[in-house]
């Protein structure tokens, strides 16, 4: 339905976009948390020292429920840095190669 609304109407009104923002933030943070937990589950750790600190920050981060909530720049930077850590590339690539998951 979302695609139909975009293609066949004028798209979403501002209030709808604001509501979706929180969902996107939650999905982003939840996925980052899953990534951190998966790394720990396989007994690995981030290669870059700063990403170990970021991993802890990500696990503690909570997305607010207020429609005016904005994702903190620091958490966005932490997620970006974590994703670029060599441990992620190593395990994500090898898990895809063998049809498995990071866990």
């Amino acid at each position: 339905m979302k695609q139909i609304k975009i293609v066949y109407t004028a798209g979403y009104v501002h209030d709808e976009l604001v509501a979706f923002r929180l969902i996107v933030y939650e999905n982003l943070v939840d996925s980052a948390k899953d990534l951190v937990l998966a790394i720990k589950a396989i007994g690995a750790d981030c290669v870059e020292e700063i990403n170990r600190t970021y991993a802890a920050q990500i696990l503690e981060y909570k997305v607010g429920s207020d429609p005016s909530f904005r994702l903190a720049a620091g958490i966005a930077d932490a997620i970006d840095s974590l994703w670029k850590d060599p441990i992620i590339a190593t395990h994500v690539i090898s898990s895809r190669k063998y049809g498995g998951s990071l866990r």
Side-chain angles (χ1 to χ4, degrees), residues 7-72:
V7 172
Y8 294 107
T9 67
Y12 292 100
V13 296
H14 178 74
D15 290 342
E16 290 172 315
L17 294 174
V18 169
F20 289 139
R21 181 185 313 136
L22 289 178
I23 294 168
V24 171
Y25 288 162
E26 287 174 3
N27 288 341
L28 174 68
V29 172
D30 287 348
S31 294
K33 287 179 180 183
D34 287 344
L35 192 59
V36 171
L37 294 174
I39 292 167
K40 291 178 183 270
I42 62 172
D45 208 350
C46 295
V47 173
E48 304 293 332
E49 183 67 34
I50 189 68
N51 289 334
R52 295 176 191 164
T53 301
Y54 285 157
Q57 290 174 0
I58 290 166
L59 288 176
E60 294 297 318
Y61 193 78
K62 304 275 191 258
V63 174
S65 59
D66 187 304
S68 65
F69 177 84
R70 296 282 192 260
L71 195 68

Side-chain angles (χ1 to χ4, degrees), residues 72-83:
I75 201 69
D77 292 340
I79 293 169
D80 182 58
S81 183
L82 178 71
W83 184 251

